[in-house]
């Protein structure tokens, strides 16, 4: 199967050519950071893009797309205050792709909550058939694509995250350990999605570690 092109792959290809020239970038000194879905995309750059980042920082991100937390209903109360029907979710989109949220007519959060309430996110977003989704989606799952060449990575995650479970970062740490990839996992006890409810001291320490981590790897340790 030929790998499918993605926006992030195209973005890095541009950074490595026209973007580097236009903005005088040193593409050998790039560090990528992101949170939540951005954390997932950050982890994806570890094996899918060129030029490859020097290091990664993923805040409450995830490395699996077809795991139970995403492919089964999210039962936490905050996702089920109002049950959303398929008709209500479908009415939020006319099928077009609009990256600027201010120009969308529908409510993306309604679609998201419907998919999470019913465990449909991986299948609906990928478009892959349920019979072969595990095989087809694997190439987009960072946890299944870690090698020794994967960049050093800092992971930050709260233990009470009801959107992206803490186990996602813990699982990535296991993959890094298995393949000998340098990593740091900063745990925020009782922290939710975005670290809300977590220990202020641990949160401060985690962000201090982020700064130190970036400085450490910018020059290629």
């Amino acid at each position: 199967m030929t790998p499918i092109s993605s926006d992030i792959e195209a973005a890095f290809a541009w950074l490595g050519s026209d973007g580097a020239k236009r903005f005088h970038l040193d593409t050998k000194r790039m560090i990528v950071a992101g949170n939540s879905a951005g954390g997932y995309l950050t982890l994806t750059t570890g094996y899918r893009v060129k030029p490859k980042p020097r290091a990664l920082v993923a805040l409450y991100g995830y490395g699996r797309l077809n795991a139970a937390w995403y492919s089964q209903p999210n039962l936490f109360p905050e996702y089920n205050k109002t049950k959303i029907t398929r008709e209500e979710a479908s009415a939020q989109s006319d099928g077009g792709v609009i990256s600027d949220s201010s120009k969308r007519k529908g409510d993306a959060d309604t679609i998201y909550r419907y998919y999470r309430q019913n465990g449909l996110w991986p299948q609906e977003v990928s478009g892959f058939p349920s019979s072969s989704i595990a095989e087809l989606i694997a190439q987009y799952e960072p946890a299944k694509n870690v090698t020794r060449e994967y960049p050093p990575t800092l992971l930050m995650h709260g233990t009470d995250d009801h959107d992206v479970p803490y186990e996602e970062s813990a699982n990535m740490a296991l993959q890094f350990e298995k393949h000998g990839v340098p990593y740091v996992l900063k745990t925020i006890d009782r922290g939710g999605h975005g670290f809300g409810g977590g220990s202020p001291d641990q949160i401060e320490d985690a962000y201090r570690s982020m700064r130190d981590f970036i400085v450490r790897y910018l020059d290629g340790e």
Side-chain angles (χ1 to χ4, degrees):
M1 175 180 176
T2 302
I4 300 173
S5 297
S6 72
D7 289 344
I8 199 165
E9 290 170 327
F12 271 78
W14 180 82
L15 280 175
S17 55
D18 293 345
K21 297 174 184 176
R22 181 177 299 184
F23 295 104
H24 308 288
L25 301 176
D26 183 353
T27 57
K28 295 180 180 179
R29 300 182 74 246
M30 294 193 301
I31 292 180
V32 179
N35 64 297
S36 195
Y40 159 72
L41 291 174
T42 294
L43 295 172
T44 301
T45 67
Y47 69 99
R48 287 194 69 93
V49 304
K50 291 182 180 180
K52 182 178 290 189
R54 180 154 292 187
L56 310 176
V57 178
L59 293 78
Y60 37 97
Y62 46 96
R64 296 177 296 181
L65 297 171
N66 198 42
W69 74 276
Y70 231 4
S71 61
Q72 295 181 12
N74 184 321
L75 301 179
F76 287 107
E78 57 263 45
Y79 287 90
N80 294 276
K81 292 178 180 178
T82 301
K83 286 295 183 180
I84 300 169
T85 67
R86 173 173 283 276
E87 290 72 25
E88 290 172 327
S90 299
Q92 306 307 314
S93 173
D94 61 4
V97 178
I98 302 176
S99 58
D100 186 347
S101 60
S102 67
K103 296 181 180 179
R104 296 176 193 152
K105 296 180 180 180
D107 179 18
D109 184 63
T110 298
I111 299 174
Y112 177 70
R113 285 187 291 121
Y114 171 73
Y115 288 166
R116 293 304 304 272
Q117 286 176 4
N118 296 277
L120 297 172
W121 185 263
Q123 184 173 336
E124 292 288 344
V125 173
S126 71
F128 295 142
S130 57
S131 60
S132 54
I133 187 171
E135 176 186 356
L136 296 177
I137 209 168
Q139 64 177 311
Y140 303 105
E141 296 183 287
K144 296 181 180 178
N145 290 276
V146 176
T147 66
R148 292 179 61 185
E149 288 71 40
Y150 199 93
T153 302
L154 169 63
L155 303 163
M156 299 164 61
H157 217 129
T159 59
D160 286 354
D161 193 329
H162 292 174
D163 192 9
V164 179
Y166 173 79
E167 287 73 23
E168 281 303 302
S169 284
N171 181 67
M172 286 300 300
L174 287 175
Q175 297 304 312
F176 296 149
E177 193 79 36
K178 176 181 178 181
H179 294 279
V181 176
Y183 76 94
V184 177
L185 172 58
K186 303 298 291 187
T187 299
I188 311 299
D189 293 330
R190 299 180 297 281
H193 201 63
F195 303 147
S199 163
D201 289 341
Q202 286 186 327
I203 295 172
E204 182 179 353
D205 175 68
Y207 280 113
R208 187 165 47 243
S209 296
M210 179 194 296
R211 179 197 61 202
D212 295 342
F213 183 87
I214 290 173
V215 171
R216 175 181 178 184
Y217 284 103
L218 265 181
D219 293 321
E221 180 174 329

